[in-house]
Amino acid sequence: MFWLWLLALLAMRAEATEREKRVLVFVPEYATVPAIADFTRGVRRTLMTESPGPVTVHVEYLGMAWFGGGEYERALSDFYRVKYREQQPDALVVYEDATPLLLQIQRELWPRVPMLAIVADDFQVEAFPQGPYLRGNWADFAITESVRAALRLLPDTRHVALVLGSSPREKIARALVTQEVRRGAPDRVFIDLAGLTLEELRRRVRTLPPDTVVMMVGFMQDATGRSLISYDVMRMLHADGAPPIFSVHKTMLGSGIVGGVLADYPLLGQKTARRVLRLLQGEPASSLPTGSMEANVLAFDARELERWHIPASRLPPEAEVHFHEPGLWERYRWQVSALLGAGLLKVGLIAVLLLERSRRKRAQRLNLAVLDSLPGSVAILDRHGSVLRANPARDGGPGEGAPERLPTSGDSYLESLREAARTGPPEVAHAVALLEAVLAERLREGLVEFRGHSPGTWLELRVRHLELPEGGAVASLVDVTSRKRAEQEARQARDERAHLERVAAVGELGVSLAHELNQPLAAILTNAQTAQRLLSGSSINAPLLREVLQDIVADDLRASAVIRHLRMLLKKDEAGHARHDFNALVRDVIRLVGNDALLRGADLIPDLCEGALPILGNGVQLQQVVLNLTVNALDAVGPSPSGARRVWVRTQRHGDRVELVVEDTGEGMTDEVLARLGEPFFTTKREGMGMGLSISRSLLEAHHGRLHAERRAGGGSLFHCTLPLQLD
Amino acid sequence: MSQAEPKVFVVDDDPSVLRSLGRMFEVEGYAVECFVHPRRMLALPPWTGPGCVVMDLRMPELNGLELQEALRRAGWAQPIIFISGHGDVPTAVRAMKAGAVDFLPKPVTNEELLAAVERALERDREARDARRERERLQALFSTLSPREWQVCRLMARGLLDKQIAAELGTAAQTVGLQRRRVLEKLETQSAVELARLLERLEALS
């Protein structure tokens, strides 16, 4: 990679003296927008006058304020390809909102042509893949500096008031702006006029103490939601007789503000051009300075300075003072008036357009701020899976296990994910499939969890379709290891509890289970000794001996079946889910409890439906539910008179669900018991732990099942649970 | 059915245990009768011949103790051997008090069970002998008239005819006559022998 770049660089150097240099400037709007016009003029004029060799400047007005969409952007890309086929550019400049599109076009058409991007904020720059062919800079507003300038001019100021509107963007920016104002005036009383209604604002401004300066940052919407233009608001405040107002927009100058550190677009153009000159001389983009373009100027309105009795001596030497021609006014009153009128009109128009622009810029800035604030790694992708924007890397984002580095603009997210799928855990393939499906618009939204590269880590990829005509998607990758771990721990805890409860339940069956096991053992012993006895005789009764041995085998099998069932219930199972016949599971439980029922003098009546009931789940846990409900029912009929102790265990198929009903003829539940049923540790039994039903319920829930209890018509209770049927 | 040959009755609700026990006793040469349900046994007229009953203590519906009681009421006199899955001491005590000869924990070896059955049959034999003697004695004494009974009791206390006559307010000659009749009826030679016989009857009753 490095040597390729070096070769390209050498080739460029060799050509340097031979031909005219071409610079392409891409701006988001048309030249009718004064700021755009000022900026491009600044670039062109500086290049023309300061370039050592011949240079042409082409400006491409993208019209992005009015036109857009993927098709338009692709057409532009094709158009530039054709247009500049014979005239390869030597340097590219891109301004503000045109940047994302140009990052793409540069990658496609001019991957080796250095590009300088000027964006509104530093955080936008951070998302760039800065390198030998790309340098990002920003041109920002100097709120703190403007406040400091105001205080220098009006040192007796004791209050600083911030005017800021209530539009969503202003609301989000409020904390930051407040902080910047306060930083400029740490020892003055801060008056917060942000977030008021227009009427409140005007009233508050009228009653501000005389030793106040107002920092007018913007007022796009008042607290009632009314849309406004900051420029109009500022004029109202000025007309209301507000204290001195300062701002950060040079376009405001001449319409009521005293001045401040103001954004200066021709200057920005000039500074941009000087960096482009360095690129033309063969410097890699990476050697250009980073950071702010510092295109703000200290500028003031002479009339306002005079109005507030600010002596010229307080102005710093670098300050520009405009509208300072009182003599002219006296002498050429009408001409000046007309000129001024036209000038004011022009300034007004510029201001309106700039405000419109700044409104959009704010929107974008706020969107980006939201993007940046998101946890994990968030990327906006085009429909080919390439990154249009991504939030910067942060701590707490996907750590190890994520694709080796975070995506930046221009990378193919889809490709790096595919790469990760080739080398990484198998589930990453699901993530690839998801992204592909969303990009192909087969799916609107989806979520895939997959294991990270380092053991034990889990990532979650959420992909959502972008509701734009050109398609695309938002992909967010979050480290969910801790959530996963918590889930796992919760599951383990539940299984642990379930196991304890199972052991307890089996313990309650203990005596009858011992009997159940003892019976075949007793029979085996008797039979074995009988066989010995038969063999010790003089003549052997072979048929009888065979019968005895057959019985031994049968009893042995019977004993081992009991042990197997017991072990199944008692073991801490980590077997997980498998296919089972629910009827078979229930049958096993009935066999286990059958003897217990007999001893309690209760009739346990199985009523299982015909055929198999295929379900997917943990067999032991489901048997535990059946066991629990059945033993509960047997307990419930205990106090009933002998002959009236009946428990039915029924299964049936109900649509796409399996239904289990355990019915008893016991006393039934009171309202209170019915209401509190399933609460952990709630029990009506003297020796119960009170965990049975709550565990049964949570085990069922883990199987997408449900459990509810009701009173049985004719006395007793009815427990009813359902599970999804698993068909092929 | 010969009354002389002892018979073992086995009651167990578990068919395979019942079969193994029945077969074992048969192989050992006993006459056996098996019941998988206690009610079946109770439906039969009580067995009057020698024998014993082997039963499981834990059975559904009617447990061993309840069956024991029911058999007694129905007139079964044979000793009972309980086999139980677990050593339930209070139950064992109650069973023994109610006349069980043995209480064997399951699983039980054939030797233990056969020994217990032999003990039971021996006891049954003794009981039957005692019963037979009591019946003989009772038959003997039942021939005495009430007056002769009075004379007999006084004779057994070693009183002379004169003393007996004074006691009963009759003449000594009459007593002498009654004394001879009593000795004759009881097939005894002396008052000493008569006293021993009476003592024996009282012990057996």
Side-chain angles (χ1 to χ4, degrees):
Chain A
M1 195 66 195
F2 176 75
W3 62 267
L4 267 180
W5 164 75
L6 203 64
L7 276 181
L9 198 64
L10 287 173
M12 241 153 55
R13 281 220 165 117
E15 270 185 292
T17 52
E18 280 152 32
R19 64 164 179 83
E20 183 176 57
K21 297 288 187 186
R22 260 185 301 277
V23 177
L24 254 57
V25 180
F26 294 87
V27 289
E29 279 105 25
Y30 295 140
T32 47
V33 176
I36 295 292
D38 280 0
F39 172 71
T40 52
R41 197 181 306 119
V43 174
R44 186 194 298 273
R45 198 168 283 165
T46 311
L47 283 176
M48 292 303 181
T49 53
E50 297 184 9
S51 169
V55 61
T56 19
V57 179
H58 296 296
V59 181
E60 294 293 348
Y61 302 94
L62 273 61
M64 293 183 78
W66 302 281
F67 307 101
E71 212 174 320
Y72 174 66
E73 291 181 0
R74 275 189 297 283
L76 280 182
S77 175
D78 289 342
F79 173 60
Y80 298 139
R81 189 199 311 274
V82 175
K83 185 172 178 181
Y84 295 102
R85 186 182 293 149
E86 304 301 324
Q87 301 187 38
Q88 283 286 309
D90 298 289
L92 306 168
V93 172
V94 59
Y95 182 56
E96 285 229 331
D97 296 359
T99 308
L101 175 59
L102 254 292
L103 285 172
Q104 217 176 320
I105 290 177
Q106 183 204 24
R107 199 172 64 242
E108 285 170 20
L109 304 184
W110 306 298
R112 304 255 182 275
V113 179
M115 181 162 85
L116 178 63
I118 311 293
V119 296
D121 288 288
D122 51 352
F123 54 77
Q124 283 173 284
V125 170
E126 280 165 19
F128 288 0
Q130 306 255 15
Y133 300 107
L134 180 64
R135 168 58 79 205
N137 289 101
W138 61 87
D140 50 0
F141 295 120
I143 296 171
T144 304
E145 292 74 9
S146 220
V147 171
R148 283 185 188 139
L151 295 179
R152 203 176 308 127
L153 298 198
L154 296 162
D156 295 333
T157 298
R158 287 165 61 192
H159 303 88
V160 176
L162 164 66
V163 176
L164 189 67
S166 300
S167 68
R169 305 140 197 180
E170 284 168 325
K171 278 183 185 163
I172 292 176
R174 182 170 171 176
L176 192 73
V177 170
T178 301
Q179 192 188 327
E180 290 192 18
V181 172
R182 278 176 179 274
R183 198 187 302 140
D187 45 1
R188 303 306 203 279
V189 178
F190 176 75
I191 299 175
D192 192 0
L193 299 183
L196 303 177
T197 65
L198 181 61
E199 289 66 35
E200 270 174 347
L201 175 68
R202 293 180 70 172
R203 193 174 48 76
R204 292 281 301 275
V205 168
R206 269 197 296 271
T207 58
L208 281 174
D211 49 0
T212 304
V213 298
V214 177
M215 175 47 63
M216 172 72 181
V217 175
F219 202 85
M220 320 252 291
Q221 205 180 69
D222 83 346
T224 63
R226 181 167 152 208
S227 287
L228 295 155
I229 303 271
S230 313
Y231 178 75
D232 293 340
V233 175
M234 196 204 67
R235 281 184 48 181
M236 278 181 220
L237 299 181
H238 188 249
D240 285 345
I245 306 175
F246 292 77
S247 185
V248 288
H249 310 286
K250 196 172 178 186
T251 48
M252 294 257 188
L253 202 62
S255 56
I257 62 164
V258 180
V261 182
L262 310 174
D264 184 323
Y265 295 98
L267 178 65
L268 182 63
Q270 184 192 55
K271 290 194 160 193
T272 302
R274 291 196 175 139
R275 291 181 188 199
V276 171
L277 285 170
R278 291 171 63 178
L279 293 177
L280 292 179
Q281 278 149 31
E283 271 189 54
S286 46
S287 75
L288 293 183
T290 55
S292 168
M293 291 300 287
E294 286 168 6
N296 292 315
V297 296
L298 189 62
F300 299 97
D301 185 329
R303 293 160 302 178
E304 291 295 313
L305 291 173
E306 195 183 315
R307 181 176 164 210
W308 299 108
H309 312 293
I310 299 166
S313 61
R314 287 200 197 139
L315 295 180
E318 73 273 21
E320 297 172 10
V321 180
H322 297 253
F323 308 104
H324 185 48
E325 286 181 292
L328 212 63
W329 177 250
E330 308 292 316
R331 274 175 283 159
Y332 306 102
R333 190 181 186 94
W334 292 107
Q335 293 88 329
V336 168
S337 170
L339 268 173
L340 266 181
L344 278 174
L345 194 70
K346 190 175 149 208
V347 167
L349 188 66
I350 291 171
V352 167
L353 288 168
L354 282 177
L355 277 165
E356 179 55 33
R357 194 185 129 277
S358 99
R359 198 196 285 250
R360 292 202 311 109
K361 206 166 75 180
R362 268 164 198 274
Q364 190 185 25
R365 201 191 287 205
L366 291 167
N367 284 343
L368 285 168
V370 170
L371 179 64
D372 287 358
S373 71
L374 295 173
S377 148
V378 181
I380 299 170
L381 312 179
D382 66 12
R383 65 197 191 104
H384 307 293
S386 293
V387 177
L388 295 177
R389 266 190 214 280
N391 65 343
R394 74 180 71 248
D395 293 336
E400 306 157 83
E404 325 85 81
R405 65 188 183 84
L406 287 163
T408 49
S409 301
D411 290 354
S412 175
Y413 200 95
L414 186 57
E415 270 314 314
S416 50
L417 204 58
R418 280 180 181 145
E419 182 57 39
R422 272 190 287 277
T423 57
E427 304 97 331
V428 185
H430 299 187
V432 173
L434 168 67
L435 184 55
E436 284 171 346
V438 172
L439 289 175
E441 297 185 27
R442 288 197 306 271
L443 205 66
R444 301 208 69 70
E445 191 174 10
L447 183 79
V448 166
E449 282 179 355
F450 53 93
R451 269 176 294 150
H453 275 289
S454 36
T457 61
W458 280 88
L459 298 169
E460 178 187 277
L461 179 71
R462 192 185 288 268
V463 186
R464 198 192 158 90
H465 174 66
L466 260 184
E467 302 296 336
L468 291 174
E470 67 268 30
V474 180
S476 60
L477 190 65
V478 184
D479 186 337
V480 292
T481 306
S482 51
R483 192 191 73 203
K484 243 2 216 187
R485 200 166 291 156
E487 279 173 7
Q488 205 175 344
E489 277 164 13
R491 197 164 46 238
Q492 261 169 14
R494 190 200 64 210
D495 290 354
E496 203 83 15
R497 270 193 323 150
H499 177 244
L500 278 179
E501 182 65 24
R502 208 152 61 224
V503 171
V506 172
E508 280 173 36
L509 292 178
V511 171
S512 82
L513 282 173
H515 182 79
E516 184 82 340
L517 198 56
N518 238 339
Q519 296 292 86
L521 289 180
I524 288 170
L525 182 61
T526 308
N527 283 327
Q529 289 193 305
T530 304
Q532 284 176 332
R533 176 64 198 247
L534 285 171
L535 288 169
S536 67
S538 50
S539 69
I540 291 168
N541 182 345
L544 188 59
L545 191 59
R546 195 171 301 123
E547 199 185 294
V548 169
L549 292 176
Q550 270 166 1
D551 280 1
I552 289 177
V553 171
D555 281 320
D556 188 276
L557 289 177
R558 179 176 150 204
S560 55
V562 173
I563 291 171
R564 198 172 55 246
H565 286 143
L566 251 179
R567 265 187 41 200
M568 229 163 63
L569 276 174
L570 287 178
K571 80 177 170 191
K572 268 176 135 170
D573 79 293
E574 272 118 28
H577 285 209
R579 281 178 74 93
H580 295 282
D581 171 16
F582 191 67
N583 270 343
L585 295 179
V586 173
R587 228 171 270 129
D588 278 353
V589 172
I590 288 173
R591 200 168 303 141
L592 206 61
V593 183
N595 191 52
D596 194 54
L598 218 57
L599 289 174
R600 294 163 183 246
D603 293 325
L604 180 61
I605 309 155
D607 178 13
L608 310 188
C609 67
E610 291 279 307
L613 291 174
I615 49 127
L616 189 68
N618 183 315
V620 174
Q621 292 186 350
L622 291 176
Q623 281 190 321
Q624 178 171 4
V625 173
V626 181
L627 177 70
N628 197 289
L629 294 180
T630 311
V631 170
N632 275 355
L634 288 172
D635 286 345
V637 298
S640 304
S642 171
R645 300 174 198 149
R646 274 193 293 278
V647 172
W648 290 269
V649 179
R650 308 179 199 280
T651 62
Q652 54 192 324
R653 200 165 153 164
H654 220 283
D656 57 351
R657 293 182 81 82
V658 170
E659 201 176 49
L660 169 77
V661 179
V662 179
E663 213 177 312
D664 68 66
T665 54
E667 258 189 3
M669 294 165 286
T670 63
D671 285 335
E672 199 232 338
V673 171
L674 203 54
R676 296 188 55 197
L677 214 61
E679 276 178 33
F681 305 112
F682 173 74
T683 180
T684 54
K685 298 179 200 168
R686 211 150 42 84
E687 284 154 13
M689 270 169 77
M691 296 301 284
L693 269 186
S694 96
I695 285 177
S696 292
R697 186 160 280 164
S698 71
L699 290 177
L700 275 172
E701 274 162 13
H703 287 83
H704 310 288
R706 271 191 301 274
L707 171 68
H708 84 262
E710 56 193 64
R711 276 196 209 91
R712 177 177 169 271
S717 306
L718 196 149
F719 284 81
H720 180 277
C721 55
T722 65
L723 283 167
L725 199 61
Q726 190 73 26
L727 297 172
D728 290 313
Chain B
M1 211 179 284
S2 163
Q3 295 273 315
E5 193 188 346
K7 192 168 191 176
V8 180
F9 294 88
V10 187
V11 193
D12 198 309
D13 64 301
D14 189 314
S16 97
V17 173
L18 185 66
R19 195 164 60 246
S20 70
L21 291 175
R23 189 163 43 215
M24 187 267 284
F25 285 122
E26 263 171 30
V27 168
E28 293 296 338
Y30 291 94
V32 189
E33 199 157 343
C34 291
F35 301 93
V36 78
H37 209 288
R39 297 243 177 247
R40 292 255 180 82
M41 187 175 181
L42 286 171
L44 294 175
W47 173 250
T48 51
C52 68
V53 181
V54 175
M55 66 165 82
D56 193 349
L57 188 61
R58 264 190 165 239
M59 281 182 297
E61 198 178 337
L62 204 62
N63 69 33
L65 288 179
E66 287 163 346
L67 178 60
Q68 182 184 27
E69 174 64 26
L71 288 174
R72 285 279 167 272
R73 270 206 304 265
W76 290 72
Q78 289 75 14
I80 294 173
I81 298 163
F82 283 109
I83 304 178
S84 169
H86 64 307
D88 184 347
V89 176
T91 316
V93 170
R94 275 170 60 204
M96 297 297 226
K97 277 188 176 163
V101 274
D102 258 311
F103 191 93
L104 303 173
K106 200 185 272 184
V108 59
T109 63
N110 291 1
E111 291 74 32
E112 285 170 323
L113 188 51
L114 289 170
V117 164
E118 275 309 313
R119 275 197 300 277
L121 292 178
E122 176 58 31
R123 189 193 272 206
D124 183 50
R125 232 180 336 266
E126 283 166 8
R128 291 173 63 80
D129 290 348
R131 202 157 53 236
R132 213 174 294 124
E133 192 187 354
R134 190 184 71 223
E135 279 162 9
R136 189 183 60 83
L137 289 175
Q138 276 169 347
L140 224 50
F141 280 101
S142 66
T143 57
L144 300 182
S145 70
R147 173 60 86 186
E148 284 164 357
W149 249 115
Q150 284 175 315
V151 173
C152 171
R153 288 220 179 77
L154 296 170
M155 282 169 69
R157 280 161 57 185
L159 267 62
L160 300 173
D161 287 357
K162 259 194 315 193
Q163 291 168 308
I164 295 171
E167 188 97 358
L168 296 177
T170 52
Q173 291 92 326
T174 317
V175 171
L177 200 68
Q178 284 163 339
R179 169 191 291 266
R180 272 193 302 278
R181 212 153 23 193
V182 166
L183 288 175
E184 204 170 293
K185 276 184 175 173
L186 298 180
E187 300 162 10
T188 44
Q189 308 299 319
S190 65
V192 177
E193 206 175 329
L194 178 139
R196 204 177 298 134
L197 213 59
L198 197 60
E199 207 175 293
R200 181 95 181 115
L201 175 69
E202 272 159 10
L204 286 171
S205 304

